[in-house]
Amino acid sequence: MKFLRYPGGKSKLLSYLVNFLPTKKDIKGTYIEPFVGGGSVFFHINPETALISDLNSELIELYKGIKLYPHKVWEIFESFPSGKTAYYEIRDKQMDGKPLYYKAARILYLNRTCFKGMWRHNSNGVFNVGYGGEERRWVITHQNILELSKTLRKANIHNSDFEEIILSASKNDFIFLDPPYKPGEKDLMELHYRNGKFLFDEQVRLSETLKSLPKSKNIRWAMTNSSHKDILKLYQDFKIRKIPFGTSDKPGIQTKDSKEVLITNY
Ligand SMILES: C[S@@+](CC[C@H](N)C(=O)[O-])C[C@H]1O[C@@H](n2cnc3c(N)ncnc32)[C@H](O)[C@@H]1O
């Protein structure tokens, strides 16, 4: 079951990535994911202890809601009516003062019925993706929400910038990083995510943060990123593997020349 439809989601690359990632048993410390997004790697590994974070505050409310109130989230998700008119009503509802489980159910509903699982906001921070249809809504079940909640209960969930999260790592932790990027390119220019652009200076800040981790702490990390030469240059002292397949420039089309790499410090 794919939990969320999420831009840049790694579910299609999972079968390749897991060959190079530690298993739950191999992680002696905490599993840390600073750009968790749809969380496909996190949910797959299902770690014993975890710290997950993302700047997308609605996404983080969704995770916290499911962690604490799985039944209530399901009950409200199920009660939302179907169809285009209902979609726009629920999308445009005022959320101030609503309980966490209500906000979580709304985000889950929007994610599963909006156009292509996009996550876009207007300049006032209001979700403004159009209606996409119902066909993906009931792919998720009450049982799925309970299982997600079980995994999330082993995680601390934050809404912080990546630097703070990476620097909080301690001895023997493992960090998986999937920053926003467009395969083959150095900058992400579109306002595709809640908090906008991820330009090259952010990539530089990310590489410097990783390089500042003390060797004595034995922290392992793995990252997916664009194969743009300027990004590869930032990681020339690390192990870089070209991902042998992926999504091409045309959405939904698979290619053997993915322009994505997996970088590890082990
Ligand atoms: C490529 S997505 C992660 C996709 C995820 N691995 C999956 O499988 O769905 C990148 C994420 O980084 C988040 N993000 C962008 N800038 C950030 C920052 N400065 N600190 C933390 N998260 C950030 C975005 O909100 C987005 O969810």
Side-chain angles (χ1 to χ4, degrees):
M1 189 269 316
K2 194 170 147 214
F3 168 38
L4 286 177
R5 304 158 74 204
Y6 205 78
K10 285 290 156 300
S11 56
K12 288 203 183 91
L13 299 185
L14 209 53
S15 63
Y16 171 80
L17 294 177
V18 292
N19 297 311
F20 305 99
L21 303 180
T23 60
K24 170 181 181 154
K25 278 202 192 114
D26 295 333
I27 303 172
K28 303 292 175 223
T30 299
Y31 171 93
I32 301 178
E33 192 167 347
F35 305 94
V36 69
S40 40
V41 173
F42 163 70
F43 287 111
H44 176 83
I45 294 186
N46 186 11
E48 279 315 327
T49 52
L51 166 59
I52 58 173
S53 177
D54 200 287
L55 268 196
N56 181 339
S57 51
E58 289 177 334
L59 174 75
I60 292 306
E61 282 177 348
L62 172 60
Y63 284 145
K64 287 184 174 167
I66 291 179
K67 174 181 174 174
L68 297 171
Y69 312 104
H71 295 290
K72 281 195 164 138
V73 170
W74 179 257
E75 207 176 281
I76 292 168
F77 176 77
E78 211 182 18
S79 76
F80 286 141
S82 303
K84 198 169 170 175
T85 314
Y87 172 84
Y88 286 105
E89 262 168 35
I90 293 160
R91 188 193 77 171
D92 299 336
K93 256 187 206 295
Q94 261 302 323
M95 283 299 109
D96 293 348
K98 291 268 190 227
L100 180 64
Y101 53 81
Y102 189 93
K103 292 185 194 168
R106 172 178 169 271
I107 286 299
L108 183 63
Y109 170 85
L110 295 180
N111 180 262
R112 300 202 78 86
T113 57
C114 75
F115 183 69
K116 286 193 173 163
M118 277 162 68
W119 211 303
R120 197 188 54 215
H121 297 78
N122 65 18
S123 52
N124 297 323
V126 177
F127 190 90
N128 69 351
V129 182
Y131 181 61
E134 299 289 321
E135 71 269 24
R136 287 177 189 82
R137 179 160 172 203
W138 302 112
V139 172
I140 195 155
T141 63
H142 191 178
Q143 189 56 34
N144 293 148
I145 297 286
L146 295 180
E147 279 157 20
L148 293 165
S149 178
K150 233 171 149 180
T151 303
L152 288 166
R153 259 178 261 153
K154 296 182 287 179
N156 274 314
I157 307 175
H158 287 244
N159 182 206
S160 312
D161 177 64
F162 65 79
E163 192 170 331
E164 188 187 325
I165 299 297
I166 294 172
L167 294 179
S168 75
S170 34
K171 207 168 166 55
N172 298 327
D173 287 351
F174 171 75
I175 313 177
F176 177 70
L177 308 114
D178 181 19
Y181 62 88
K182 214 168 154 190
E185 296 188 17
K186 144 171 149 174
D187 288 330
L188 186 82
M189 303 296 286
E190 296 140 48
L191 286 169
H192 203 38
Y193 298 103
R194 170 123 204 178
N195 287 283
K197 304 176 186 180
F198 203 81
L199 301 181
F200 189 61
D201 51 353
E202 290 290 89
Q203 291 278 2
V204 173
R205 184 164 70 91
L206 173 59
S207 70
E208 283 172 356
T209 310
L210 288 168
K211 287 174 195 166
S212 77
L213 292 171
K215 286 217 164 55
S216 59
K217 284 194 176 175
N218 191 32
I219 294 163
R220 286 177 297 169
W221 57 258
M223 167 167 57
T224 47
N225 211 325
S226 156
S227 65
H228 190 282
K229 64 176 183 4
D230 292 344
I231 290 177
L232 299 188
K233 223 167 158 184
L234 299 174
Y235 296 100
Q236 53 193 355
D237 298 332
F238 299 96
K239 192 154 194 159
I240 301 178
R241 296 177 182 87
K242 200 167 181 307
I243 298 177
F245 61 92
T247 313
S248 76
D249 303 343
K250 297 184 194 79
I253 307 282
Q254 292 292 301
T255 171
K256 285 197 172 128
D257 184 20
S258 70
K259 300 194 172 64
E260 290 178 87
V261 289
L262 175 69
I263 309 170
T264 58
N265 74 337
Y266 54 87

